[in-house]
């Protein structure tokens, strides 16, 4: 039996919302089907990782030389989106190959397609934004003004979306909780290495250039490792394990009444529990299947025992 799915934005957008492009971006690029963070510490680590990733995406020039180069920032975003278009499916494909012994691709079909839609949506928005600014240079005065206004709206929309996507990485947490930090690590390194290879240090000395260019990917990598380590040690979520074999954990890491953090609990997007595990047996005492209501067991023991 198929589970009901929420709308893409969860019904959070109104007509007035479109006056604030960053609000629209946060709703569009963090859909309702993306699972919530497992606990506050992982969420905090994600936010620090997002900041370090933004430093890599926006470029050394903006942060070090103190100049906010809008064209360079837009160009870097366009390049990053193209890189992500090829890199994200490739990285996920490698992980699917790793997971093949303990699960199938069919079990991950729905979240994989959702993530692909989010990736294509972002890349398309970036290309449209770049196209609007390029077209405005060849238009007349009135069309140019209209295109500039539309381009500015799209630019804010895309930049806010990029920040949002740096955290959820195209909803890949719906596939596997460890995919966002893995993709963030791979992407930041791929964005930084070409600058070192080509010698594009933005006018900095060799030592300072290496420090600042590698600062973001090294920081992202360290935070990503801490994030994945916490997921593994506290929740039993391992990167090498197929999502179908992983335990189901409640959002924000709330402990289960019986002390089992892996027991079935209410999920934000998949009410029937782990969407990848087919035919998993459910404990008759785990909510909401408890046959005698939502009361916790007596002293955490068998309610029929003495």
């Amino acid at each position: 039996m198929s589970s009901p799915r929420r709308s893409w934005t969860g019904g959070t957008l109104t007509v007035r919302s479109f006056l604030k492009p960053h609000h629209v971006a946060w709703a569009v690029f963090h859909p309702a089907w993306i699972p919530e963070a497992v606990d506050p510490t992982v969420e905090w680590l994600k936010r620090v990782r997002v900041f370090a990733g933004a430093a890599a995406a926006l470029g050394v020039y903006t942060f070090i030389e103190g100049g906010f180069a809008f064209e360079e920032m837009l160009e870097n975003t366009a390049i990053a989106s193209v890189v992500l278009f090829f890199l994200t499916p490739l990285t996920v494909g490698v992980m699917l190959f790793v997971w093949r012994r303990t699960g199938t691709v069919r079990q991950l079909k729905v979240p994989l397609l959702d993530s692909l839609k989010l990736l294509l949506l972002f890349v398309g928005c970036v290309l449209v934004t770049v196209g609007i600014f390029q077209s405005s240079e060849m238009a007349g005065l009135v069309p140019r003004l209209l295109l500039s206004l539309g381009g500015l709206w799209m630019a804010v929309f895309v930049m806010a979306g990029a920040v949002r996507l740096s955290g959820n990485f195209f909803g890949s947490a719906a596939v596997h909780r460890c995919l966002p930090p893995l993709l963030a690590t791979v992407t930041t390194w791929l964005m930084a290495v070409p600058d070192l290879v080509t010698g594009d240090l933005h006018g900095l000395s060799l030592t300072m250039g290496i420090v600042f260019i590698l600062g973001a990917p090294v920081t992202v990598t360290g935070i990503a490792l801490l994030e994945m380590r916490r997921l593994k040690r506290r929740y039993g979520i391992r990167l090498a394990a197929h999502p179908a074999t992983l335990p189901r954990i409640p959002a924000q890491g709330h402990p289960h009444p019986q002390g089992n953090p892996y027991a079935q609990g209410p999920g934000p997007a998949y009410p029937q529990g782990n969407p990848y595990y087919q035919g998993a047996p459910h404990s008759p005492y785990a909510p909401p299947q408890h046959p005698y209501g939502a009361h916790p067991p007596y002293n955490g023991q068998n309610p029929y025992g003495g």
Side-chain angles (χ1 to χ4, degrees), residues 85-261:
F85 180 75
F86 294 99
L87 181 65
T88 301
L90 178 62
T91 305
V92 174
V94 171
M95 293 312 303
L96 290 174
F97 181 78
V98 172
W99 297 334
R100 74 192 189 283
R101 295 182 179 180
T102 54
T104 64
V105 177
R106 172 176 286 185
Q107 292 171 291
L108 308 176
K109 179 180 178 181
V110 173
L112 284 173
L113 288 178
D114 284 342
S115 296
L116 180 59
K117 293 175 187 176
L118 196 55
L119 172 62
L120 293 175
L121 177 61
F122 178 71
V123 173
C125 289
V126 171
L127 297 180
V128 167
T129 304
V130 174
I132 289 176
F133 280 103
Q134 290 178 345
S135 300
S136 65
E137 297 178 358
M138 300 179 292
L141 180 59
V142 175
R144 181 182 232 176
L145 179 61
L146 295 176
L147 286 173
S148 297
L149 290 175
L152 288 174
W153 192 97
M154 286 296 298
V156 175
F157 174 75
V158 166
M159 295 303 169
V163 172
R164 194 64 164 160
L165 290 173
S166 297
N168 63 51
F169 251 89
F170 309 103
S172 53
V175 181
H176 195 296
R177 293 277 186 176
C178 289
L179 274 182
L182 173 65
L183 289 170
T185 300
V186 174
T187 302
T188 51
W189 276 105
L190 195 61
M191 292 292 293
V193 169
D195 283 344
L196 292 176
V197 174
T198 60
D200 185 11
L201 303 179
H202 301 270
L204 299 171
S205 65
L206 179 61
T207 302
M208 294 299 294
I210 292 176
V211 169
F212 283 110
I213 289 176
L214 293 184
V218 169
T219 303
V220 170
T221 301
I223 296 171
L225 290 175
L226 288 174
E227 194 175 338
M228 288 190 284
R229 182 185 178 188
R230 183 174 180 86
L231 288 171
K232 178 181 178 181
R233 296 185 64 179
R234 183 159 184 172
Y235 302 104
I237 299 176
R238 295 176 294 109
L239 176 62
H242 189 282
T245 66
L246 296 177
R248 174 73 166 87
I249 55 178
Q252 294 298 326
H254 296 301
H256 187 266
Q258 292 179 319
N260 181 4

Side-chain angles (χ1 to χ4, degrees), residues 272-292:
Q272 292 183 332
N274 191 333
Y276 320 125
Y277 196 89
Q278 304 298 326
H282 301 285
S283 170
Y285 311 114
Q289 290 84 11
H290 195 293
Y292 305 110

